[in-house]
Amino acid sequence: MTPMQWTVHPARVRPVAAIWAVVAIAVVATLIAQLAGDWFWGAISAVGLFISLTRFFLTTRYRIDAEVAEVIYPLSMSRLRWDEVGCIRWQDHRALVARSISRRAQMRGLVFDFTNLSVDTKAQLREFVLAQTSPEVWQ
């Protein structure tokens, strides 16, 4: 199978939520600027809030091939080799791929969003991941 790549942009999928998020950032930044008495602190808070929401506002790229599963977030990248996978939780709209079944490993695991994928593509992707991993890791 050739490597599968896709992107997800949550703000484009949910434009009303994106507008409300921008409004909330603007309101909080304005309040902080008023409380601090300087526009600089309001601008810093707006940047900080935007950075905390980058996975919503900016595009996330996903890539799966024969060797690794990879998620490229706006400010970071995570990858996991198939031989390191210890837990997979597959749902219709997303999948969690982690090193083990421990809560900590699952919090650090890769979460794949299938929002933009067709039903056929999801089925192909599931079959491919099944072929790359042992049945014991599936939950």
Side-chain angles (χ1 to χ4, degrees), residues 27-43 45:
V27 167
V28 170
T30 302
L31 289 174
I32 289 175
Q34 292 294 318
L35 288 171
D38 191 2
W39 65 270
F40 176 75
W41 295 111
S45 68

Side-chain angles (χ1 to χ4, degrees), residues 6 14 30 87 119:
W6 70 97
R14 300 178 56 207
T30 302
C87 173
V119 174

Side-chain angles (χ1 to χ4, degrees), residues 89-96 112 114 122 126 138:
R89 291 191 177 175
W90 200 278
Q91 298 174 350
D92 186 45
H93 59 283
R94 70 173 148 178
L96 169 69
F112 291 92
F114 303 141
K122 289 181 209 177
R126 183 179 172 91
W138 287 78

Side-chain angles (χ1 to χ4, degrees), residues 69-87:
E70 187 174 64
V71 180
I72 303 168
Y73 298 113
L75 299 176
S76 66
M77 181 181 82
S78 297
R79 64 176 21 190
L80 189 59
R81 295 181 49 86
W82 292 118
D83 57 359
E84 298 173 338
V85 173
C87 173

